[in-house]
Amino acid sequence: MPDITDKQTFSDEDALDFHRAPTPGKISMAPTKPMATQRDLSLAYSPGVAVPVLAIAGDADKAYDYTSKGNMVAVISNGTAILGLGNLGHMASKPVMEGKSVLFKRFADVDSFDVEVKTTDPDEFVTVVKNIGDTWGGINLEDIKSPECFEIESQLQDLLDIPVFHDDQHGTAIISTAGLINACHIAGKRLEDVKVVLTGAGAAGLSSIGLMKAAGVRHENTVIVDRDGVVYRGRPNIDQWKAAHATDTPHRTLAEAMVGADVVIGLSAKGAITKEMVASMAPRPIIFAMANPDPEITPEDVLSVRSDAIIATGRSDYPNQVNNVLAFPYLFRGALDVRARQVNHEMKVACAQALAALAREDVPDEVAAAYRGRKLKFGADYIIPTPFDPRLIWYIPPFVAKAAMDSGVARRPIEDMDAYRASLRRRLDPSAALMQNISAAVRAAPNKRVVFAEGEETSVIRAAWAFKQAELGTPILVGREELIRQNAAEAGLNFDDLGIEIANARLSERNVEYTDWLYERLQRRGYLRRDVQRMINQDRNYFAATLCARGEADCMVTGVTRNFNMALREVRRVLDVKERMIGLSVLLAKGRTLFVADTSIHELPNAAELAEIAVQAAETVRKLGKTPRVAFLSYSTFGNPPGDRAEKVREAIRLLDQRGVDFEYEGEMPPELALDPDARTAYPFMRLTGHANVLVMPAIHSAAISTRLVQALGGATVIGPLLVGLEKSVQIVSLGASVSEILTAATFAAYEEGAAAGEE
C-alpha cells in the first residue's frame, strides 16, 4: 500500500481496524419514525403509505414533502480516479464514498449514501445514474477520471432536475477561488488585473480556472500548462475542455509563463514548480501548490526565495489548506434547502465569496485552538477558514441559497433568511465537536508529558505513536526498550525521530530516589523498603505514578493489562486525592453530550457524597467547555414513591441548597424529566432551564449498568469512565482497550492536567 503522507498519524492497521470494528464500514441507516406500535406500522407501510404514494403520483415534487429526498444526496463513483491511487475499480472506491457520506452528515447534517457503478464507459455510467437519479435531492460525483468526468457531469446536469456536482472539480475550484479573492485583497491586487498561470490541466485545474474567471479573472490574463507545455490557441491535439481555456500567448513552457505572473495555481505533481520560477514572478506573488500528498513546491522553498509570497497548499500541516470539506457540505445544504434544480456558476461563486468573507471575520477562540493555539487573524497565513470553524454551517448555506433563488433554480425560496440561519445553528450535532475541541485545547496548551504505563503492549505503543504524531504532547513508554522497539517494528512504526521517550524502571537513574520517596510515604502503612524497591522495579503503575508525583511527567494512562480497581489501588498508594475523586462517563448521542457520575468510585454514596459528586462533576464539565445542568436521577419523582435511596437524593439537594453552588441542579427525578423539558408540565417548580447534561446516579451500579447498556445497544458512544480528582491526572482504561480508547484517555489526561495547571 503506498504511503498517503509523511505526516500520517496512524498505521495501516489502525486504518483497517477503524473501518472493520465494531461494525464494518462508516455509515448505517437510522429510522426517523418510532415504528413502535401496530399503528406506526400501518402508517409507515400498508395501508397508510398509499396516501403519500397517490399524492406523489399526482405531483412528483411532493416527494420532497413526504420522503427523505429533500435531505438526501447520493455519492456516486466508478473508481477510475480514487484519491491519488488511480483506477482501482468501483468497489475499491466504496470506503472513500462512505467517508464522503460521513462528512456530509458531520458537517452539514445532509443524509447521504454511496453508489458504486461497475462501468468505465461514460455513456453507460450516465444511463445508470439517469435512471435512478430522481431518488435523491442531489448527486455528488466523486473519483471519476478526466476527461470523462466533464462529459458525465455535463450530460447528467441536462438529464436530471436536481443538483449534480463533481467535487473533485468544483470543490477544489470553490476553495481555491475563495483563497484567491482574499490573497488578492492582501496583496493589493484586483482579480481583473492579475495574471494567472495554471499548472495541471485536469478536472480540478480546469474547473478552478473556470470559476476564477466567473469571479472576475480575465480570460486573456490566464495561461494553462499541461504535461506537454502551454495550452495555446491553435495547439494541435487538445480536447474541447482545454481548448475552451486556450489563450493567445507566446509562452510554451511553465517557466516562461511564470515570468511576471501574479498567481500560479498548482494542481499537477510534486516538483513541478522550482525556486527559479517563483523568483521570476511579480511582487507579492500568490502561490497555490495544491498537489497531494506533496505540493509542486514546498512553502519552505518558496519563502527561501520570496519572503513576500502568499502560499496555500492541500496539506493540513501548513497554513491555508485548500480542503474540499469547506465547500461541498455547505453548498449542498443551501441547494437542498431551496430544492435547487442544479448547482450553477452563480451558486459556486457565491460559496467562494462567502468563504472568503468568513475568513475576514474575527476568529473565535475555539477556532484558534484548532490551529494549536495560534491566534488566527486575516492575513497571509489565514486566507481561508479552517474546516472545523463552527460558523461554516450557518454562514455559507444562506449565500448559496440566495444565489439559487436569484438565478431562478430554486423550487422553494426562503422567505426569512434570519430564521434560516437560526435553524442552521441548531442543526449540527454538538456532541461531534467535543473531542475536537479537547484535542485542540491540548495542542494549544504547553506540552504535556504523558506516561503510558504498559509501554510494551502493541496497542499502547500504537496509541503513543498516534498521540505524538497528532502533536498532543510527549509520550513516555514504560518498559524494556528492546521489547518496545521490537513490538513497534512489528507494528510497522518507526518513532526514532518523533521524540517518544522510553523509561525502564530497573535502569532509571532515579530508581533509588523514587524508592526513597515512596518508602517515606508508605513506611507507616506496612511496607518495608525492600517491598517498595520491588514495587518501583517491577510494577509499572507504581513507577509511572511516581514519575508524575515527582514532576518528571504530567499525567498517565494505564489499565490495558489489569482491572480498574487493581490499577486504582496501586496509583492511590502514590498519588493523593485533591478533594473528591469520581468516575465520570461521557455519552455522545445525536444532538447532545451527557455526563454520567459516579460510574466507578462510590458504590453506595450517602447524601453528602452525592452532593460532592455533583459539585465535582459540574466543575469538570465546566472545564470541558459546557455549562453544567445537573439532574439527580432516581426511580422516584419528587418523593413518589418514597424510599431510602430516594431520601438520600433529596437530602443531597438540601445540602446543595444550603451550600449555594453556582450551577443548576434538580432532583430526584427519572431520566425522562431530566432530558425532556416538555415532560415537566406537571412540575412547574423545577429549576432546570433546559435539558440536563450532568446525570448524578444514586449508586455505582445504576451508573455503570445504564452507560454500558446504552453502549451495548448502540444508542451512543461512551467515553470513560474518566477518573477525576487525583492530584495528577490519571486515566484508567478498560482491560484490552483499543488504540482509539487509549488515545482518547491520554488526550483527556493531558487536557485535565492542563486545566488544573491553568487554575494554579
Side-chain angles (χ1 to χ4, degrees), residues 64-110:
Y64 286 99
D65 299 317
Y66 302 130
T67 75
S68 61
K69 174 173 179 169
N71 194 52
M72 182 71 72
V73 168
V75 182
I76 305 181
S77 178
N78 62 2
T80 53
I82 304 174
L83 303 174
L85 305 174
N87 183 357
L88 298 180
H90 69 294
M91 285 312 298
S93 72
K94 190 171 180 66
V96 182
M97 302 308 108
E98 282 191 354
K100 204 61 174 277
S101 295
V102 170
L103 297 180
F104 266 116
K105 191 65 177 178
R106 163 63 180 87
F107 288 100
D109 194 29
V110 172

Side-chain angles (χ1 to χ4, degrees), residues 98-330:
E98 282 191 354
K100 204 61 174 277
S101 295
V102 170
L103 297 180
F104 266 116
K105 191 65 177 178
R106 163 63 180 87
F107 288 100
D109 194 29
V110 172
D111 293 322
S112 171
F113 62 88
D114 58 297
V115 178
E116 290 75 37
V117 180
K118 187 181 179 181
T119 181
T120 59
D121 179 77
D123 292 332
E124 189 175 359
F125 185 97
V126 167
T127 299
V128 170
V129 178
K130 176 193 70 173
N131 288 330
I132 62 176
D134 286 344
T135 302
W136 305 286
I139 290 175
N140 186 106
L141 300 173
E142 192 82 13
D143 288 357
I144 302 170
K145 73 183 181 74
S146 175
E148 287 91 336
C149 60
F150 299 116
E151 179 183 346
I152 288 171
E153 184 191 36
S154 177
Q155 288 193 49
L156 288 174
Q157 284 177 337
D158 292 338
L159 293 167
L160 296 174
D161 199 29
I162 57 174
V164 178
F165 181 83
H166 184 211
D167 187 49
D168 300 309
Q169 296 180 55
H170 305 301
T172 303
I174 289 168
I175 311 306
S176 58
T177 300
L180 180 62
I181 291 169
N182 279 345
C184 286
H185 182 87
I186 294 165
K189 302 181 180 187
R190 301 194 311 165
L191 281 177
E192 56 266 36
D193 295 333
V194 292
K195 296 179 179 179
V196 180
V197 177
L198 167 68
T199 172
L206 294 180
S207 295
S208 295
I209 203 71
L211 193 61
M212 289 172 184
K213 291 177 185 178
V217 172
R218 294 164 63 185
H219 172 75
E220 58 269 27
N221 286 346
T222 64
V223 176
I224 296 173
V225 184
D226 64 11
R227 66 186 62 188
D228 296 320
V230 170
V231 177
Y232 57 89
R233 187 167 295 167
R235 196 183 100 175
N237 301 321
I238 57 172
D239 59 45
Q240 66 189 81
W241 296 281
K242 291 181 184 179
H245 296 286
T247 53
D248 290 319
T249 173
H251 306 311
R252 294 297 182 264
T253 67
L254 178 60
E256 293 174 4
M258 283 184 61
V259 175
D262 298 286
V263 181
V264 61
I265 305 296
L267 284 159
S268 53
K270 175 183 178 181
I273 299 173
T274 66
K275 292 183 181 181
E276 292 74 19
M277 295 177 188
V278 171
S280 73
M281 295 180 70
R284 298 305 307 271
I286 298 166
I287 300 162
F288 289 5
M290 297 181 287
N292 262 320
D294 298 301
E296 287 81 359
I297 184 170
T298 66
E300 292 88 348
D301 283 346
V302 171
L303 294 173
S304 71
V305 293
R306 294 300 297 263
S307 61
D308 60 341
I310 299 172
I311 311 164
T313 72
R315 292 177 56 139
S316 61
D317 49 331
Y318 292 116
N320 300 326
Q321 183 194 16
V322 177
N323 190 326
N324 287 13
V325 79
L326 286 166
F328 71 83
Y330 313 110

Side-chain angles (χ1 to χ4, degrees), residues 46-47 59 72 108 205 217 271 307 374 388 427-428 549 558 643 652 696 714 716:
S46 181
D59 179 0
M72 182 71 72
V217 172
S307 61
R374 181 166 52 88
F388 286 106
R427 186 151 198 157
L428 207 57
T558 187
V696 176

Side-chain angles (χ1 to χ4, degrees), residues 507-665:
L507 303 179
S508 171
E509 296 177 353
R510 298 181 178 270
N511 186 291
V512 174
E513 174 191 332
Y514 289 171
T515 300
D516 290 344
W517 179 84
L518 188 57
Y519 176 56
E520 183 176 350
R521 179 181 172 86
L522 299 178
Q523 59 191 357
R524 295 182 182 275
R525 290 159 61 179
Y527 291 88
L528 300 176
R529 193 180 190 284
R530 65 171 179 264
D531 300 326
V532 175
Q533 178 74 69
R534 186 166 55 252
M535 290 157 64
I536 290 292
N537 279 351
Q538 298 180 9
D539 194 293
R540 288 160 193 168
N541 279 337
Y542 288 109
F543 182 74
T546 305
L547 280 174
C548 295
R550 300 297 291 163
E552 299 300 319
D554 298 293
C555 45
M556 70 175 277
V557 178
T558 187
V560 176
T561 61
R562 61 189 67 184
N563 67 50
F564 182 94
N565 289 331
M566 182 182 296
L568 181 59
R569 281 197 302 270
E570 292 165 350
V571 169
R572 283 290 315 277
R573 292 185 180 114
V574 182
L575 298 171
D576 292 327
V577 175
K578 287 187 293 187
E579 295 178 8
R580 169 73 59 187
M581 183 170 61
I582 67 169
L584 186 68
S585 292
V586 187
L587 273 67
L588 303 178
K590 168 62 181 172
R592 62 180 62 180
T593 302
L594 300 177
F595 301 88
V596 182
D598 172 5
T599 49
S600 60
I601 304 299
H602 298 86
E603 184 175 0
L604 289 171
N606 58 33
E609 288 172 330
L610 283 171
E612 287 297 328
I613 288 169
V615 171
Q616 181 68 284
E619 179 183 334
T620 303
V621 168
R622 188 170 279 131
K623 288 177 182 177
L624 293 172
K626 306 286 185 181
T627 300
R629 292 186 296 275
V630 178
F632 287 80
L633 296 193
S634 173
Y635 65 89
S636 175
T637 306
F638 300 113
N640 184 30
D644 290 343
R645 292 308 304 170
E647 177 54 38
K648 287 183 171 59
V649 175
R650 289 193 290 276
E651 177 62 21
I653 295 291
R654 289 191 286 269
L655 291 173
L656 290 181
D657 288 342
Q658 297 169 9
R659 186 167 175 173
V661 295
D662 62 348
F663 56 86
E664 293 182 19
Y665 59 93

Side-chain angles (χ1 to χ4, degrees), residues 438 442 448-453 541 544-549 553-558 568 571 575-578 581-582 620 623-624 721-732 744-757 760:
I438 290 172
V442 171
K448 291 291 178 286
R449 293 166 56 81
V450 182
V451 185
F452 292 76
N541 279 337
T546 305
L547 280 174
C548 295
D554 298 293
C555 45
M556 70 175 277
V557 178
T558 187
L568 181 59
V571 169
L575 298 171
D576 292 327
V577 175
K578 287 187 293 187
M581 183 170 61
I582 67 169
T620 303
K623 288 177 182 177
L624 293 172
L722 306 172
L723 190 60
V724 178
L726 284 172
E727 62 174 305
K728 289 289 185 178
S729 182
V730 176
Q731 296 305 325
I732 303 174
T744 296
T747 306
F748 266 102
Y751 181 87
E752 187 192 11
E753 195 60 33
E760 296 169 5

